[in-house]
Amino acid sequence: MSASAMHTKEIKACAAAWLERQDRSDWSANDQAELEAWLAASNANLIAYWRVHDAWKRAERLVAVQPAVVPRAPPRRKIWPLLTGIAATLIAVAALGLGARTLVSKPQERTFATPVGGREIVSFADGSRIELNTNTVLRTRMTTEERIVWLDKGEAYFQVKHDDAHPFIVIAGGDRVTDLGTKFFMRRDSGELEVALLEGRVRFGEADARPQAQTTLLAPGDVATASSNAMFVTQQPVKSLANKLSWRRGVLVFDRTPLADAAKEFNRYNRQKLVIADPAAASITIDGTFPTNNVEAFTDVAQHILRLHVEYRGNSILISR
């Protein structure tokens, strides 16, 4: 057996050992930290973990269809389908490039912008805080008399210190959000605005401040989506909203997400673009956690786990059946 083959076999054995350990009742936080470090060490480890996990899942499905008279071992508890450990590993790396500024109360307007793949935290003297995601432009006017923010493009997470006398107002195109003491995030792109509320209350509606302007009061879990000619509100579970904010940890979380949508999310954070070349590949769903800046990890999973064809063409990566 060649040295390369022996090395691959060792990695596979190590992946199997990790899955065995992870399934035990005495799995600890230290064990999780060690697993995360091993997963982050190389893409070979990541692929081996995927393959062993996938093989075990297939074996479980085969056992599940056996006749009832055939004894079988108790089902393994569900293991997170992708590498949740990789998320924590990259938090420290992402933090190295994370800017943070504290602003005093000044009358002038300030502009903040992040590049593709960048993030920034802006803190204000009143205790409010805004986190800017990738490719975002945001303007502020924070004084002792008014607190106004304009989201020109991109995505931001707001933690607002409530003040009855000085409402915190966010304007995005023709829409506005007025804080009533809350945590929420907004995303503006492709002519559409999304506002999701995690805590407290916000008033959402037209930017026109006249009494007849249409507004609605959002409660925690509400997600409002507005375009040029329509606005609707849906309720989403806490897990879904947490997944939408995974970028704050430097990762993307997919939960039965069509490959086309997953690629679109990756493209927001990277200059190298993923292109899903055919409908058959686009409709395949994917689960798991990926670093926002690691396109290679995503293409490795597409190629080696989903058995898709991956082709590099300049600054584009084509994925197809």
Side-chain angles (χ1 to χ4, degrees):
M1 184 180 295
S2 67
S4 176
M6 289 181 65
H7 182 61
T8 301
K9 187 175 180 180
E10 290 170 0
I11 292 176
K12 184 177 180 180
C14 193
W18 276 116
L19 283 163
E20 279 286 358
R21 286 177 56 187
Q22 197 174 22
D23 205 33
R24 297 175 188 169
S25 59
D26 61 350
W27 180 261
S28 67
N30 287 337
D31 292 328
Q32 183 66 32
E34 291 178 17
L35 172 59
E36 290 168 358
W38 186 78
L39 294 173
S42 73
N43 282 340
N45 293 356
L46 181 149
I47 295 300
Y49 184 97
W50 256 100
R51 284 176 170 165
V52 174
H53 176 270
D54 189 53
W56 284 9
K57 286 191 68 175
R58 288 198 302 270
E60 288 171 3
R61 287 195 292 268
L62 288 173
V63 171
V65 299
Q66 294 294 324
V69 296
V70 178
R72 60 187 177 98
R76 295 169 53 82
R77 66 174 174 83
K78 184 178 180 181
I79 299 173
W80 184 243
L82 267 174
L83 308 178
T84 54
I86 200 80
T89 305
L90 266 83
I91 293 174
V93 177
L96 296 176
L98 184 63
R101 309 184 190 182
T102 301
L103 307 183
V104 296
S105 180
K106 293 182 179 180
Q108 71 265 29
E109 187 176 299
R110 302 288 300 272
T111 299
F112 303 91
T114 56
V116 172
R119 290 189 296 134
E120 183 171 358
I121 297 175
V122 183
S123 299
F124 300 93
D126 67 351
S128 298
R129 169 174 153 139
I130 305 174
E131 296 182 39
L132 282 67
N133 196 8
T134 175
N135 196 23
T136 295
V137 176
L138 180 144
R139 293 175 288 127
T140 67
R141 187 162 69 223
M142 306 289 285
T143 73
T144 55
E145 301 299 324
E146 61 181 356
R147 301 185 297 171
I148 302 178
V149 174
W150 292 266
L151 179 62
D152 293 332
K153 73 170 183 175
E155 184 174 19
Y157 172 65
F158 298 82
Q159 299 178 74
V160 177
K161 183 72 172 180
H162 185 59
D163 182 348
D164 285 322
H166 305 96
F168 192 104
I169 298 171
V170 185
I171 299 174
D175 298 293
R176 73 191 285 146
V177 169
T178 303
D179 157 67
L180 300 175
T182 189
K183 296 179 181 179
F184 62 98
F185 65 89
M186 299 175 64
R187 176 171 170 177
R188 183 185 181 190
D189 59 12
S190 303
E192 188 173 87
L193 175 67
E194 182 181 74
V195 180
L197 181 63
L198 281 78
E199 294 181 14
R201 294 180 300 156
V202 299
R203 191 175 301 282
F204 175 65
E206 300 171 7
D208 191 336
R210 292 176 299 177
Q212 64 267 35
Q214 199 172 29
T215 63
T216 185
L217 192 64
L218 301 184
D222 283 347
V223 179
T225 304
S227 60
S228 59
N229 55 8
M231 191 272 282
F232 60 90
V233 178
T234 60
Q235 263 278 331
Q236 293 192 15
V238 174
K239 180 182 177 181
S240 295
L241 295 183
N243 288 349
K244 286 177 177 287
L245 284 171
S246 62
W247 57 265
R248 297 176 62 211
R249 310 192 314 269
V251 298
L252 296 173
V253 177
F254 301 128
D255 183 7
R256 301 184 68 181
T257 305
L259 207 63
D261 293 341
K264 184 178 179 180
E265 277 300 296
F266 254 101
N267 289 343
R268 296 178 62 210
Y269 298 85
N270 299 278
R271 298 195 180 279
Q272 191 174 33
K273 303 302 182 184
L274 296 166
V275 179
I276 309 302
D278 59 76
S283 62
I284 295 173
T285 59
I286 189 168
D287 298 83
T289 303
F290 293 86
T292 58
N293 62 351
N294 195 341
V295 177
E296 185 180 358
F298 186 83
T299 56
D300 279 348
V301 169
Q303 184 173 18
H304 299 292
I305 304 302
L306 301 179
R307 306 299 183 189
L308 298 174
H309 177 70
V310 176
E311 181 181 352
Y312 291 82
R313 291 186 183 177
N315 205 39
S316 298
I317 303 174
L318 274 65
I319 300 177
S320 61
R321 276 289 195 181

